[in-house]
Amino acid sequence: MNKRPTLEDIRRAPKVLLHDHLDGGVRPATIIELARDIGYEGLPATDPEKLRTWFEEAANSGSLERYLETFSHTVGVMQTIDALTRVAYECAEDLANDGVVYAEVRYAPEQHLGMGLTLEQVVEAVLDGFARGHRDFGIRVGTLVTAMRHQARSMEIAELAVRYRDLGVVGFDIAGAEAGYPPTRHLDAFEYLQRENAHFTIHAGEGFGLPSIWQAIQWCGADRLGHGVRIIDDIEVDGDDARLGRLANYVRDKRIPLEMCPTSNIQTGAAKSIAEHPIGLLRRLSFRVTVNTDNRLMSGTSVSEEFAKLVEAFGYGWDDLQWFTVNAMKSAFAPFNERLEFINGVIKPGFAQLKWSGARPLA
Ligand SMILES: [Zn+2]
């Protein structure tokens, strides 16, 4: 029998991350320095540890207003080329230190124009940071450009994704409040991306239910779902039996990836606790589940910590963690050959080594 993976072991496993926001993972010390550089005022603290605590408390407060305020500060200081490049570079370093080997990190270029940058300058600054991160830390990071669902720039952002597709932008996303802003509002952008054979994911089924998931898949043609937790509204559980409705069956049959973010879902109220998070049921029913961080700063988390919490709540072992990881790599927007190389050349050998070294009986 395998030893239960510890956080320390999990950090050494080669991991894959598909849903992570650049403005949700900035280091507190960097926020303070960048604020000083550009004369940004209004940070709630100027000591890194105090600022870190403030972010986590605001995110845990249950107040949407306070949660959104956290992003106004990170986005507020990410308004210059140097700031964007630095934040991307440090993101690559932090993920690499957590054992992530492949990541897709997203951000909304339209939120970084406050000090006069163009959309192109924003995209190029972020790509530059990740390219340097790849050179120094070996981690491969693709970016997703996000359009804000309450704004009207999705077509422009979709065109940006296509223009930079061979330079490190691997896909497109829409984010922001779901209620009142259905994905079909941006149908022209999604149709354009489909005609261009481009990849995209849609934040859907987090705060809002099945109609949002249905629209994202059947109207917009999403390759993946950001969160998608509400798909359980279409599953009836009776003891060990589960009856899937047509949409849930479709999502499972077509192997549509669910980018699940357990800790973040608890903070936004989409789930009550890790133990009650739908990920347990969806994994048991073999949906294409992946494990993600969403906002590492606000949630005080990392991929390894998300895994460790799942190990504790559901008793997962190395096979489960490898299954989530291979699911994520299969679902990545990187080209097929690259995905295969990661799965066979990095992920499987890496997990095999950890399983082998941990293979001693439980005391
Ligand atoms: Zn998200």
Side-chain angles (χ1 to χ4, degrees):
M1 193 191 280
N2 282 354
K3 183 168 134 311
R4 177 104 21 110
T6 63
L7 178 59
E8 196 186 324
D9 294 335
I10 295 169
R11 282 196 210 283
R12 284 155 53 213
K15 292 172 294 295
V16 174
L17 172 59
L18 300 182
H19 191 128
D20 186 81
H21 293 264
L22 188 64
D23 50 322
V26 193
R27 296 175 186 170
T30 301
I31 298 173
I32 292 163
E33 283 181 35
L34 293 177
R36 209 173 289 146
D37 289 351
I38 62 167
Y40 177 89
E41 286 175 11
L43 282 189
T46 49
D47 168 78
E49 278 320 301
K50 281 193 186 132
L51 188 61
R52 183 190 301 282
T53 307
W54 179 86
F55 271 101
E56 289 179 25
E57 283 176 359
N60 280 322
S61 67
S63 146
L64 185 65
E65 246 169 53
R66 283 187 67 191
Y67 192 67
L68 292 179
E69 190 196 336
T70 61
F71 291 94
S72 72
H73 295 307
T74 53
V75 169
V77 299
M78 294 164 68
Q79 298 294 334
T80 64
I81 288 176
D82 286 350
L84 287 161
T85 302
R86 175 174 172 180
V87 169
Y89 178 82
E90 291 178 351
C91 169
E93 184 176 22
D94 292 346
L95 294 179
N97 283 338
D98 190 46
V100 174
V101 292
Y102 175 90
E104 289 176 7
V105 176
R106 62 189 74 193
Y107 66 100
E110 67 196 73
Q111 293 190 304
H112 304 275
L113 311 177
M115 287 176 67
L117 295 182
T118 63
L119 290 171
E120 287 77 9
Q121 283 174 315
V122 172
V123 170
E124 285 166 24
V126 172
L127 288 173
D128 184 30
F130 283 126
R132 292 184 204 198
H134 175 61
R135 195 191 55 208
D136 291 354
F137 313 114
I139 182 175
R140 175 67 72 187
V141 184
T143 58
L144 306 181
V145 289
T146 294
M148 300 308 291
R149 56 204 313 157
H150 60 281
Q151 300 289 356
R153 298 186 85 151
S154 50
M155 189 64 183
E156 207 181 343
I157 305 301
E159 285 169 351
L160 200 62
V162 169
R163 209 169 329 136
Y164 285 90
R165 67 195 308 175
D166 296 324
L167 299 165
V169 176
V170 296
F172 172 84
D173 163 50
I174 57 166
E178 265 183 278
Y181 301 100
T184 42
R185 199 169 173 261
H186 305 280
L187 202 53
D188 56 341
F190 297 120
E191 287 179 343
Y192 162 76
L193 290 165
Q194 287 180 306
R195 306 299 172 258
E196 290 292 338
N197 306 300
H199 303 297
F200 55 94
T201 176
I202 296 180
H203 275 77
E206 178 191 15
F208 208 65
L210 294 174
S212 180
I213 295 178
W214 176 72
Q215 282 199 4
I217 297 168
Q218 306 302 13
W219 283 85
C220 306
D223 295 286
R224 307 194 306 232
L225 290 172
H227 301 286
V229 283
R230 298 315 319 165
I231 195 65
I232 54 154
D233 294 349
D234 201 32
I235 302 173
E236 242 177 76
V237 182
D238 182 11
D240 278 349
D241 282 341
R243 249 202 343 271
L244 277 62
R246 292 199 190 279
L247 181 61
N249 257 322
Y250 187 91
V251 168
R252 185 169 72 165
D253 289 344
K254 297 280 272 189
R255 316 305 300 142
I256 294 172
L258 304 175
E259 304 162 358
M260 310 211 97
C261 312
T263 302
S264 172
N265 289 160
I266 292 164
Q267 292 178 313
T268 58
K272 283 201 187 74
S273 67
I274 299 284
E276 293 166 275
H277 194 283
I279 195 167
L281 175 67
L282 296 168
R283 189 264 175 274
R284 189 152 58 80
L285 296 174
S286 294
F287 278 76
R288 175 71 73 80
V289 177
T290 69
V291 177
N292 302 277
T293 47
D294 214 10
N295 301 295
R296 284 169 289 115
L297 170 64
M298 290 72 176
S299 298
T301 197
S302 66
V303 188
S304 296
E305 285 170 89
E306 292 298 302
F307 271 167
K309 288 181 186 179
L310 296 175
V311 166
E312 197 188 320
F314 299 107
Y316 291 150
W318 284 116
D319 287 342
D320 300 284
L321 302 189
Q322 178 172 328
W323 183 80
F324 286 124
T325 305
V326 170
N327 271 354
M329 201 63 235
K330 282 179 178 172
S331 312
F333 290 157
F336 176 71
N337 285 346
E338 201 178 317
R339 283 183 267 155
L340 215 55
E341 273 172 37
F342 269 108
I343 291 172
N344 292 325
V346 180
I347 296 167
K348 286 185 176 173
F351 275 88
Q353 202 177 8
L354 284 158
K355 280 188 232 180
W356 182 80
S357 65
R360 50 190 137 93
L362 281 169

